[in-house]
Amino acid sequence: MVQNLMKGLLALCIGLGIAQGAFPAEPASTEKPAWLPLAQDDLHDPEGPGIKFLQEPAESLSTLPSDVVGNRVNWVRALDKGFIDPRINLYSNKKQKVLDLDVIRRKTGEMNMVRFPHRQHTEWLDCTNCHEWLFKSKAGATKFSMFDVLKGDFCGRCHGAVAFPLTQCNRCHSVPRRVSATPAADAGRK
Amino acid sequence: MTYLYPQIIFSKLFGACLLASLMLLAPLTAQAEYGDVVLNNRAEQSGMRPVIFPHWFHRIRFKCKVCHTEVGFEMRAGANDILMADIIDGKLCGKCHNNKIAWGPQNCHLCHSGLPGLKTGIRGGDSTGGPGKW
């Protein structure tokens, strides 16, 4: 019973943590600006001689398609719609190789299944950024759980650090599971 | 089921409450721009301010793969051992920060712009505030 209580508390803690991240106490649009000036970001030294030469986040980020999390920028849309045109190489002639292939990960417990779209990822990244060292190309060959992702591994290498954060559950867990008439069939699918 | 002594139960409960309060506080104190990286494995030991690397600024201008394949940065904050000598030799940051593509390494204070005492790592809000923090 005590163990069950502890599990419940842990679930509550994670829930609270996620809820706090998903619904910040202060809405971004009202009192607090979405992008703090560098001098107030608790990272840059306001006394430093270089700070006045650096670009302020609001100057560029406010002109890009908006989002509710992260940099408050939908980076995929910014690229798709041509708001930004980032370079793809410096000295090499490597061409952009976009792969339009969705992978569905079905073993997601109670959550919707995960749709991984290669297209959006290969617009930004090279195949070797993820393959084969982190993810095997063979579908289903890489075993990982949400705990690994939350710890900052696999998807969590980028999501939760630079790509949209892990509070955005439904952006990945986006494919509903068809409810079967027989519970046994459902169990098999999970 | 194993029997747990009251003091163990109490300490676990206390731990859980502490964890919950930390999770609630963590996102409120994070003010950096999402994806900002503090580089301070060597900077302050060498008498310079920590380096603040803003992902947002760079990804407007370069796709992820430019730095994470062609330049060779590992995708883990703190995992790259970056020496000023390498940058001056045109490696790592110096592949761009060479006065040709971007400002050169003589502009010390543009990169070394962080508050003293910052720890190396990735910053910015909107994480779970929980186990996702490494």
Side-chain angles (χ1 to χ4, degrees):
Chain A
M1 196 191 83
V2 176
Q3 281 164 338
N4 281 342
L5 183 70
M6 297 315 302
K7 278 183 195 165
L9 264 174
L10 184 65
L12 181 71
C13 292
I14 293 174
L16 279 173
I18 289 176
Q20 184 65 30
F23 307 104
E26 297 160 79
S29 55
T30 53
E31 310 103 52
K32 212 169 124 187
W35 305 281
L36 283 177
L38 295 179
Q40 295 170 25
D41 69 359
D42 277 359
L43 283 192
H44 290 87
D45 187 350
E47 309 294 317
I51 191 165
K52 59 178 178 288
F53 299 107
L54 301 175
Q55 187 178 35
E56 291 290 341
E59 189 193 339
S60 56
L61 300 185
S62 61
T63 64
L64 301 177
S66 64
D67 202 335
V68 292
V69 287
N71 303 118
R72 307 293 191 270
V73 169
N74 187 323
W75 290 102
V76 167
R77 192 167 298 152
L79 188 63
D80 279 350
K81 303 280 180 206
F83 282 88
I84 53 172
D85 185 20
R87 284 174 70 156
I88 59 169
N89 50 46
L90 298 173
Y91 304 103
S92 73
N93 293 318
K94 239 182 157 181
K95 294 269 183 304
Q96 182 77 32
K97 218 164 83 181
V98 175
L99 175 67
D100 194 1
L101 171 73
D102 285 358
V103 176
I104 307 286
R105 289 189 71 94
R106 310 175 77 89
K107 292 180 183 172
T108 53
E110 300 296 312
M111 294 294 288
N112 278 342
M113 295 185 289
V114 170
R115 183 178 72 92
F116 171 83
H118 268 98
R119 186 187 71 77
Q120 286 86 331
H121 289 84
T122 50
E123 293 275 7
W124 287 98
L125 292 152
D126 191 77
C127 311
T128 58
N129 284 133
C130 308
H131 297 304
E132 299 290 325
W133 68 283
L134 189 58
F135 291 100
K136 301 270 176 270
S137 293
K138 190 169 175 282
T142 312
K143 306 277 182 228
F144 66 96
S145 73
M146 198 62 214
F147 287 107
D148 297 314
V149 177
L150 285 161
K151 275 191 295 186
D153 218 345
F154 299 100
C155 317
R157 282 259 170 178
C158 297
H159 288 284
V162 293
F164 67 72
L166 303 171
T167 46
Q168 300 286 293
C169 316
N170 296 336
R171 283 200 188 174
C172 299
H173 291 273
S174 59
V175 183
R177 216 177 294 273
R178 268 188 300 139
V179 181
S180 307
T182 54
D186 268 344
R189 206 181 287 128
K190 285 171 193 171
Chain B
M1 203 188 87
T2 49
Y3 176 75
L4 294 168
Y5 289 102
Q7 56 266 47
I8 299 176
I9 298 169
F10 179 74
S11 70
K12 282 197 172 188
L13 274 171
F14 179 74
C17 293
L18 192 69
L19 193 66
S21 52
L22 279 176
M23 282 172 161
L24 284 168
L25 283 173
L28 296 177
T29 51
Q31 297 185 351
E33 198 51 55
Y34 191 63
D36 279 354
V37 182
V38 174
L39 292 82
N40 199 11
N41 285 350
R42 294 176 177 275
E44 252 185 299
Q45 284 175 21
S46 316
M48 292 297 290
R49 286 184 175 80
V51 170
I52 310 297
F53 171 84
H55 263 105
W56 65 267
F57 180 92
H58 288 82
R59 70 184 296 181
I60 291 172
R61 294 152 178 88
F62 300 92
K63 294 195 173 181
C64 318
K65 65 177 179 180
V66 172
C67 302
H68 291 296
T69 52
E70 201 177 333
V71 179
F73 282 115
E74 216 176 292
M75 297 191 289
R76 174 67 88 218
N80 300 284
D81 195 26
I82 304 166
L83 290 169
M84 256 343 277
D86 290 332
I87 296 173
I88 293 162
D89 280 349
K91 294 174 196 152
L92 301 170
C93 317
K95 280 223 173 172
C96 288
H97 287 279
N98 54 7
N99 292 313
K100 292 185 184 110
I101 296 176
W103 71 59
Q106 75 278 16
N107 299 290
C108 317
H109 297 295
L110 297 185
C111 299
H112 290 274
S113 59
L115 285 161
L118 291 173
K119 291 228 161 35
T120 295
I122 197 142
R123 303 300 168 91
D126 290 307
S127 62
T128 53
K133 281 282 179 203
W134 57 78

